[in-house]
């Protein structure tokens, strides 16, 4: 039985504050406690003391392991963890690791040691620091279950320590492979040198034969060049004499031409004066138009004011009419009320007279006798005496009642007046609100109108401004175009032939849609300097017509035959055969600035590129003639090249160009540009006219702005009127209306109080009357019996009813009269006449203002009429001057016809001279080319005067050869070269008389062809002989030396390869042995362990390497067959089955180099209850004999099988402080 871990002593480590002793640990100990109490910190303490790195302990730096450091409150500057290990014989060893600030110290039994000694001491008891064979962290089991084959191989390499040899294995393998490669290389090199030696001998013999033929060819080429030069000089002399005669004829024709030109200039001078007068008048007309545009808005503004005032006056008149109608209605109402009041008064007086007459006619009561009446009055006095006190009280109450009645009548009158005023104010408030609504509606409509006008103004402003800016741009462009046209002397007249050619293209494009146009019209040089070169390369194809198909070309040709038009060349794009562009030519670095001709041409449309490729091919353009010659003949292959001065080098060796007629043809690019400038000028002129039309909208814009200003002014007045009505009139009326309502609310309670008081007093009056009635009943008892009434009041009621009816009638008259008087007073208080007067004043004021505005409008109209009249006079004058100009133009046209005729005469002579000059220039250029060719090819001409150094290339003497435009070979430079070469006198004595005496061109050509044929035949012979290496002898000696050197290198490389292979095999064997010792042990153990963990013999587990020869280079497959289930891949097992399989692998690996103790952190997390029991039983069994097991677990089914429990609990503090309790479970039986 191995030793065991007995205690762990910690001091200020992570959550363990102070010094704590944890243990003792039994053979199977379980660490338990709630989450967050510090269980994993105990795991970290064990890992730390056994050499684990800081990065694996869940901290960033070593000092963070001190208690309280992560929260900035370290308990100390040091922390200590000590592991007490007890050996089999009971001997204890203390392994300590101390943290002091940011450093750690290793100690064994209190003695400080180096980390290597510490690791060796641990290794002696079976604990490996590097492979960590004693430790399983939380989640590590699940990660082992999820490892792929390559990751399992890495795990085995760490456990077997074969990974320590990986770097040396890789290094020796690379060295072996390199040595074998060097050996193979030197072997092939040796064979190649032997073949090269044999070839060098053959080259030496071939070189000697080749040199003899070259010497014969040089003599023949010299004879050919002398023949060409002799006949070239003879032709130059003939052409020079003919040119001198033509020069005299040209001078005579030029004098005649000068006379006609002077006459044209005089007419042009007169015409120019008239043009200036017209321009001046046009400027005055424009100024007048501007002035008119300025004055029109004033007239429009005045007209707008007049129209606005007319509308305002019309509105005021309508308001006056309404006011008068209201006043008349008011006066009629007052009159009717006065008449009704008079009628009521007459009715009342008539009623009083009627009552008076009735009283006088009746005299006294007819119902009683005279004695009875006396008795009645006597009894009445008696009753009055008896009820005197009651009567006095009744009088007092009646007086009070009368006073309250007066008060009530007064309050009722006030109430009626208040209601009348309330009604009046409500009427005025309604009128003010209606006025406000009308003003709001007018403001809304005015705002909408202003907004619409502003939108229109914005649109017109943009148009006018855009037109103004564009006019400035167009004028600037026109000035530039006119300047360019002036520099190019655009007053040249096109020839009739050119016009016909242009018309032909237009007709063909119109009739046949597939026609694109002439090549010269469809493309242009990317720079002016390339014009001559491109002209030379394109040659006859410059005027060729590009079309889409062969059918289109045939149709065009048929049309031209029918119309009897001159023949043309067509390039149908579907018919021409084009070789692809050689892309390598674009990469030529030397000489510089060499480009494909196609690349310096701009073309449109893109489809015509095929036609350009057909015409240009792979031709290259170079800066100088020397560069063109190098490109043509000195590179690995011959190429068609052209210099900027038009010298063309063909692949066949033919050199041409440099003639003056080529430059004349190149001027057609400039003529094409002139045509484009003319078209651009016409387009800009048309656009300028359109933009001027847009700019004339400025007057309309000024009118709209005036309208906007008028609308905004009226809108401002309307808003002010509305605000005054809302903020003053309506608020004042609402305030007065509120006051009348409050007054009404205060009157109603007063009336109610009076009526209540009078009601209560009426009850008192009734009581007193009842008392008085009893007194009267007692006094009049006998009297009533006598007159046969129940009581005296029946008699009095008959008499009094009449009195009450009369009083009631009088009251009705009084109330009616009072109502009419109140209404009359209210109507008289309304002053409608004042409103009438106000509107009459307004109408009169507006009429006066209208008269004033009409006069102002007429004044502005008169000013505009006068301005227009003056403008019309200027236009008439302009027309007169224009007619005079037309007459002068007619005269100029006639003179120009004569001028054209004379120019044609001069042109014919000039053309004739030019033809001779071109021929002469061509012959001189031919002589120069012949001389230059001789110099370049190394042919030394025999000379009686001068030397080969007098023959110069175009690249020499740049001061003489380049002009201000930068062209490489100007006419002036060429002439300087020709004059210098003319001083060279060649000795033609080597040339036979037969060759000199040839007279006709045919004879010369025939003889030259014979010489050329001889040269060609000899060249063919030389070409059939591959160009030999003229340094073959030197090469042969070099090859012999190289053969010996290569043989020595091969032998050295072979020995080095053998040595590297032996070293590699040694390392490979050691790595293989280490790995396989571990693998064989684990693969033998794992099946038994998996069966033990599963508690089932049907369970199977097996390992297999993917690479049996070198298993550490590839993966290791791990498969398990769970009890009672068929075989499935590891990924398809359940979580619990994967964990059991991972534990089996873990325990199997641990058994290879077993540590005395095994620390497991929550390995039961993914296990169900059944598997927990099985795993716990296995650990229990193993702990009794093989190793001590310390586990961290939260599952009771697991830790209740342990020998001891170490409980961890927290204590309250600023940060977690962990404390421990230890329980020895061996003291209890399993049942408890």
């Amino acid at each position: 039985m191995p030793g065991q871990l007995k205690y762990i002593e910690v001091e200020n480590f992570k959550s363990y504050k102070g010094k704590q002793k944890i243990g003792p640990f039994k053979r199977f100990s379980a660490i338990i406690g709630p989450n967050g109490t510090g269980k994993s910190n105990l795991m970290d303490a064990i890992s730390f003391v056994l050499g684990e790195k800081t990065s694996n302990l869940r901290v960033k730096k070593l000092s963070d392991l001190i208690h309280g450091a992560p929260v900035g409150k370290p308990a100390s500057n040091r922390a200590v963890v000590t592991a007490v290990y007890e050996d089999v014989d009971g001997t204890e060893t203390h392994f300590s690791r101390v943290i002091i600030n940011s450093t750690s110290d290793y100690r064994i039994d209190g003695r400080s040691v180096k980390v290597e000694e510490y690791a060796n001491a641990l290794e002696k008891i079976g604990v490996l620091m590097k492979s960590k064979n004693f430790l399983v962290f939380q989640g590590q089991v699940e990660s082992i279950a999820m490892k792929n084959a390559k990751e399992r191989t890495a795990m085995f390499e760490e456990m077997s320590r074969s990974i320590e040899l990986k770097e040396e294995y890789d290094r020796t393998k690379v060295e072996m492979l390199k040595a074998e490669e060097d050996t193979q290389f030197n072997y092939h090199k040796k064979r190649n040198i032997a073949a090269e030696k044999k070839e060098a001998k053959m080259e030496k013999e071939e070189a000697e034969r080749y040199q003899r033929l070259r010497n014969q060819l040089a003599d023949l080429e010299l004879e050919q060049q002398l023949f060409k030069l002799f006949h070239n000089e003879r032709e130059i002399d003939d052409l020079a004499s003919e040119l001198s005669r033509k020069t005299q004829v040209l001078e005579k024709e030029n004098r005649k031409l000068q006379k006609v030109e002077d006459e044209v200039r005089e007419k042009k001078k007169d015409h120019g004066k008239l043009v200036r007068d017209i321009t001046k008048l046009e400027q005055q007309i424009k100024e007048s138009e501007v002035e008119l545009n300025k004055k029109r808005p004033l007239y429009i503004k005045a007209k707008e004011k007049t129209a606005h005032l007319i509308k305002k006056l019309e509105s005021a008149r309508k308001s006056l009419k309404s006011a008068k109608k209201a006043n008349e209605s008011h006066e009629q109402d007052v009159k009717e009320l006065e008449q009704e009041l008079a009628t009521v008064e007459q009715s009342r007086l008539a009623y009083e007279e009627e009552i008076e007459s009735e009283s006088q006619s009746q005299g006294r009561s007819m119902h009683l006798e005279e004695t009875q009446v006396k008795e009645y009055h006597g009894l009445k006095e008696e009753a009055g005496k008896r009820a005197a006190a009651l009567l006095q009280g009744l009088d007092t109450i009646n007086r009070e009642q009368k006073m309250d009645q007066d008060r009530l009548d007064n309050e009722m009158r006030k109430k009626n007046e208040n209601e009348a005023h309330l009604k009046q104010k409500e009427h005025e408030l309604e009128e003010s609100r209606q006025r406000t609504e009308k003003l709001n509606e007018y403001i809304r409509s005015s705002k909408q109108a202003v907004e619409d006008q502003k939108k229109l103004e914005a649109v017109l402003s943009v148009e006018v401004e855009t037109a103004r800016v564009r006019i400035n741009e167009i004028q600037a462009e026109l000035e530039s175009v006119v300047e360019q046209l002036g520099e190019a002397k655009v007053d040249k007249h096109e020839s009739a032939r050119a016009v016909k050619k242009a018309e032909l293209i237009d007709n063909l494009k119109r009739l046949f849609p597939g026609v694109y146009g002439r090549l010269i019209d469809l493309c242009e040089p990317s720079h002016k300097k390339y014009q001559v070169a491109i002209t030379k390369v394109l040659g006859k194809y410059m005027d060729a017509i590009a079309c889409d198909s062969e059918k289109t070309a045939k149709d065009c040709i048929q049309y031209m035959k029918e119309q009897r038009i001159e023949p043309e060349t067509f390039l149908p794009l579907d018919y021409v055969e084009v070789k692809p562009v050689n892309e390598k030519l674009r990469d030529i670095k030397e000489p510089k600035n060499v480009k494909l001709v196609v690349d310096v041409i701009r073309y449109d449309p893109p489809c015509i590129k095929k036609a350009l490729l057909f015409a240009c091919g792979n031709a290259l353009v170079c800066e100088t003639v020397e560069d063109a010659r190098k490109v043509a003949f000195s590179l690995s292959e011959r190429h068609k090249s052209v210099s900027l001065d038009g010298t063309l080098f063909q692949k066949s060796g033919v050199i041409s160009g440099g003639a003056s007629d080529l430059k004349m043809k190149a001027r057609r690019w400039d003529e094409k540009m002139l045509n484009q400038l003319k078209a651009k000028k016409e387009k800009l002129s048309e656009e300028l006219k359109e933009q001027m039309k847009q700019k004339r909208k400025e007057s309309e814009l000024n009118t709209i702005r005036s309208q906007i200003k008028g609308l905004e002014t009226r809108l401002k007045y309307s808003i002010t009127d509305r605000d005054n009505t809302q903020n003053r009139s309506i608020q004042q009326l609402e305030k007065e209306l509120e006051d009348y309502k409050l007054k009404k609310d205060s009157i109603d309670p007063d009336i109610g109080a009076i009526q209540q008081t009078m009601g209560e007093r009426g009850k008192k009056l009734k009581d007193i009357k009842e008392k008085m009635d009893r007194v009267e009943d007692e006094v009049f008892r006998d009297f009533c019996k006598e007159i046969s009434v129940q009581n005296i009041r029946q008699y009095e009621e008959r008499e009094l009813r009449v009195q009450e009816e009369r009083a009631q009638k009088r009251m009705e008259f009084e109330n009616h009269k009072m109502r009419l008087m109140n209404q009359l007073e209210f109507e008289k208080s309304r002053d409608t006449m004042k409103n009438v007067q106000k509107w009459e004043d307004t109408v009169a004021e507006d009429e006066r203002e209208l008269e004033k505005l009409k006069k102002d409008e007429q004044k502005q109209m008169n000013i505009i009429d006068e301005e227009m009249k003056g403008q019309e006079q200027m236009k008439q004058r302009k027309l007169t001057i224009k007619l005079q100009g037309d007459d002068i133009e007619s005269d100029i046209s006639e003179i120009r016809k004569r001028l054209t005729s004379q120019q044609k005469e001069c042109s014919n002579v000039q053309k004739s001279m030019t033809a001779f000059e071109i021929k002469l220039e061509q012959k001189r250029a031919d002589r120069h080319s012949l001389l230059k060719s001789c110099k370049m090819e190394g042919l030394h001409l025999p000379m009686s005067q001068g030397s080969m150094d007098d023959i110069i290339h175009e690249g020499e003497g740049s001061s003489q050869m380049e002009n201000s435009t930068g062209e490489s070979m100007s006419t002036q430079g060429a002439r300087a070269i020709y004059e210098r070469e003319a001083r060279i006198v060649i000795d033609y004595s080597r040339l036979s008389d037969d060759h000199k005496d040839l007279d006709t061109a045919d004879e010369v050509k025939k003889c030259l062809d014979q010489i050329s044929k001889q040269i060609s035949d000899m060249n063919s012979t030389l070409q059939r002989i591959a160009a030999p290496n003229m340094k073959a002898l030197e090469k042969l000696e070099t090859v012999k030396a190289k053969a010996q050197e290569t043989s020595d290198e091969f032998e050295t490389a072979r020995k080095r390869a053998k040595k590297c292979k032996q070293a590699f095999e040694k390392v490979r064997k050691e790595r293989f042995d280490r790995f396989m010792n571990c693998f064989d042990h684990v693969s033998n153990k794992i099946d038994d362990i998996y069966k033990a963990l599963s508690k089932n013999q049907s369970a199977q587990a097996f390992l297999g390497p993917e690479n049996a020869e070198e298993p550490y280079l590839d993966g290791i497959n791990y498969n398990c067959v769970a009890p009672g289930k068929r075989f499935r891949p590891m990924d398809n097992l359940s979580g619990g089955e994967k964990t059991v399989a991972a534990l089996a692998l873990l325990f199997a690996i641990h058994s290879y180099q077993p540590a005395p103790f095994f620390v497991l952190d929550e390995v039961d997390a993914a296990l169900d209850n059944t598997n927990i029991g099985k795993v716990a039983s296995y650990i229990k069994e193993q702990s009794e004999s093989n190793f001590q097991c310390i586990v961290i677990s939260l599952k009771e089914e697991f830790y209740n099988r342990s020998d001891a429990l170490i409980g961890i609990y927290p204590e309250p503090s600023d940060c977690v402080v962990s404390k421990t309790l230890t329980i020895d479970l061996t003291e209890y039986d399993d049942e408890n």
Side-chain angles (χ1 to χ4, degrees), residues 1014-1073:
Q1014 293 175 10
I1015 293 172
S1016 177
D1017 292 342
M1018 194 166 288
N1019 270 322
S1020 299
T1021 303
L1022 285 170
Q1023 285 175 1
R1024 285 196 296 273
I1025 301 172
N1029 184 1
M1030 303 308 291
K1031 296 181 180 180
L1033 184 60
E1034 296 176 10
K1035 181 180 177 183
L1036 184 60
E1037 295 300 323
T1038 305
V1039 168
K1040 286 180 180 179
K1042 195 183 292 184
Q1044 184 59 41
E1045 182 183 350
T1046 305
S1047 180
D1048 295 341
E1049 288 176 354
F1050 170 71
E1051 191 61 30
T1052 304
R1054 189 179 62 79
K1055 291 177 180 179
R1056 185 169 62 251
K1058 184 178 179 181
K1059 184 179 178 181
C1060 289
K1061 188 171 183 180
Q1062 289 172 349
F1064 171 71
E1065 286 298 330
K1066 182 180 177 183
V1067 175
R1068 188 186 73 80
K1069 184 177 182 305
E1070 186 178 353
R1071 186 179 183 187
F1072 178 81
D1073 291 343

Side-chain angles (χ1 to χ4, degrees), residues 75-164:
S76 176
N77 66 342
R78 69 193 298 273
V80 183
V81 181
T82 301
V84 180
Y85 176 75
E86 184 181 23
D87 211 340
V88 180
D89 57 2
T91 305
E92 291 186 356
T93 306
H94 292 71
F95 294 93
S96 302
R97 191 174 176 187
V98 184
I99 301 170
I100 302 173
N101 293 326
S102 296
T103 62
S104 68
D105 185 25
Y106 295 91
R107 296 177 184 177
I108 300 174
D109 292 329
R111 179 174 56 86
S112 181
V113 297
K114 294 183 178 180
V115 65
E116 292 83 4
E117 186 179 347
Y118 192 81
N120 292 333
L122 288 173
E123 189 173 346
K124 286 179 183 179
I125 64 172
V127 175
L128 302 177
M129 284 176 60
K130 290 184 179 179
S131 57
K132 295 188 283 291
N133 62 335
F134 60 90
L135 189 63
V136 178
F137 279 112
Q138 183 177 346
Q140 192 171 347
V141 175
E142 288 83 350
S143 68
I144 290 172
M146 298 303 294
K147 285 183 185 294
N148 58 33
K150 288 289 287 183
E151 290 170 341
R152 277 193 288 273
T153 303
M155 188 170 64
F156 272 91
E157 281 218 274
E158 286 182 2
M159 187 56 65
S160 65
R161 298 173 63 186
S162 66
I163 196 166
E164 296 173 1

Side-chain angles (χ1 to χ4, degrees), residues 530-540 542 662 665-667 669:
Y530 297 120
Q531 287 181 353
V532 175
I534 293 171
T535 303
K536 180 63 179 177
V537 172
L538 290 179
K540 63 180 180 179
M542 273 186 73
L662 186 61
K665 288 181 181 178
R667 291 194 191 104
W669 298 109

Side-chain angles (χ1 to χ4, degrees), residues 372-489:
Q372 290 175 328
V373 171
K374 286 181 180 180
E375 185 180 359
Y376 166 77
H377 287 298
L379 292 171
K380 196 70 173 173
E381 287 178 4
E382 180 64 25
K385 288 176 182 179
R386 289 185 183 182
L390 293 172
L391 185 60
Q392 187 176 359
L394 182 63
D395 290 341
T396 301
I397 291 171
N398 279 331
R399 281 196 301 276
E400 291 176 356
Q401 192 78 342
K402 184 67 169 65
M403 289 172 63
D404 284 345
Q405 184 65 45
D406 291 341
R407 282 173 59 207
L408 180 62
D409 292 342
N410 188 39
E411 291 297 327
M412 290 298 292
R413 181 179 59 76
K414 286 181 179 178
K415 181 180 179 182
N416 292 333
E417 289 177 356
N418 190 70
E419 287 178 350
H421 286 303
L422 191 63
K423 185 178 178 183
Q424 179 186 356
K425 294 302 177 184
E426 286 177 346
H427 179 69
E428 291 178 1
L429 181 62
E430 183 64 26
E431 286 183 346
S432 296
R433 285 176 176 166
Q434 288 177 357
R435 175 175 172 76
T436 303
E437 288 178 2
K438 289 179 180 178
L439 286 171
N440 283 331
E441 182 62 31
Y442 177 74
I443 289 167
R444 279 195 296 274
S445 62
S446 297
K447 283 182 177 178
Q448 185 63 38
V450 169
E451 187 178 347
D452 293 343
Q453 293 284 16
K454 283 185 175 180
K455 286 181 181 177
L456 184 57
E457 181 202 10
V459 172
L460 287 175
S461 297
V462 170
E463 290 180 358
V464 170
E465 182 62 22
T466 304
R468 186 183 63 76
V469 172
R470 184 58 187 150
I471 286 169
N472 293 336
E473 293 174 355
I474 292 171
Q475 287 175 344
E477 290 181 21
L478 272 174
E479 288 176 4
S480 174
V481 170
V482 169
E483 184 178 351
Q484 292 178 45
L485 287 171
E487 291 173 357
K489 299 179 181 179

